Amino acid sequence: MRRRRLKRRSFLVRSSAVLGTGCLATRPGGATAPKERPRAKHPPHPVVVASANGFPHCTARVMEELLGGSEVADAVVAGVTLVEDDPSDHSVGLGGLPNEEGVVELDASVMDGATGLAGAVAALRGIKNPSQVALRVMRYTDHALLVGEGARRFARAHGFPEQELLTDEARKIWLYWKSTLSDQDDWLPPDPAELPPRAKEMFGITGTINCDAVDGQGNLAGVTTTSGLAFKIPGRVGDSPLVGAGLFVDNEVGAAGSTGRGEANIVTCGSATVVEGLRQGKAPVDACLMACRRIVEATRVARLRRPDGRPDFDVKFYAVDKGGRFGGAAIWSGGRFAVHDGKGNRLEDMAYLFES
Ligand code: ASP
């Protein structure tokens, strides 16, 4: 873990001038944005944001690392590692839902503002911490993205152990999906009594963890890690390992990441759009709403739209800027995100475009 000397800033000297705008409750698009203030050079205290599955452990760990002097990229990776290691989270790392053939394939990216470098892996099999592998791609190669077998070999070369990532529970959910796909084949559904709770709700689910942070010196980093779309076609790569889509960081401006339908985010460069919004001086919540709107406008084909024309999927964005302002927004209402800003480790409601 890389550590740098920390200028520890007091929890108490928290200037409202810099941290004023967090998540402004659910502010549907069209509402008047607050007057923007000049962007601060650094926050009075480190700030961490994450998708809701980062609460409470990931965000707490990242804050602990930052206060202990870790570099921001190390801190965010240490935080999401806890979720990758957790077999009960079926959207990330160990226990992630597999591809259609029952094989877990993981995607992750890391981006470091201070160096302007990124590292990523996609369709990585057998290694439970793709975020750590992505960090090594960033630091120990001249590349930004390794995929499939090459990513696996690179991870092995760096000493990552190989293991079966398909837990028994994830295997049962996958088998249930497979056996109920068609009544024209020879697969029969299992006894419902043997099914994990909520097995059916997992069909076609997405899930991921994104975590972004700024330290007391205004250095930013972010990470996004996922098992991707449940039961995907083998080799499918989502937005999470794609810099600009599932993650983007600019040390002069802010960091943003995303969860939700990756294909929609890829074609709109979602996280880069959020950071561009921050660059224009938008509050993080408004920059996130702007990226959501961009996706709505770009969703033109009927199979992705409800009868009223709105997208039949969700995408969520999380952002923190250089001054420590933070926010999150989604296409649909009901989402929450995790934040730890020295005032506490908590979940907050996301802003949204449409009421679910
Ligand atoms: N964005 C991820 C993907 O498309 C999934 C998710 O976040 O729900 O792979």
Side-chain angles (χ1 to χ4, degrees), residues 107 205-208 226 228-229 236 238-240 258-263:
D107 296 341
I205 66 149
T206 50
T208 294
T226 188
L229 183 64
R236 179 261 188 190
D239 58 324
S240 307
S258 169
T259 60
R261 183 180 155 77
E263 283 72 8

Side-chain angles (χ1 to χ4, degrees), residues 48-62 79-80 82-83 86 88-89 208-211 318 336-341 343-348:
V48 186
V49 291
S51 45
N53 53 350
F55 178 80
H57 304 300
C58 166
T59 40
R61 177 66 190 274
V62 178
V80 299
L82 300 176
V83 183
D86 176 1
S88 70
D89 189 319
T208 294
I209 180 163
N210 164 251
C211 181
Y318 317 87
R336 305 182 88 191
F337 70 103
V339 60
H340 197 338
D341 61 355
K343 269 185 158 178
N345 189 13
R346 58 194 186 276
L347 285 171
E348 289 202 359

Side-chain angles (χ1 to χ4, degrees), residues 13-33:
V13 242
R14 184 172 185 277
S15 150
S16 59
V18 237
L19 277 181
T21 52
C23 178
L24 300 173
T26 47
R27 183 189 324 148
T32 320

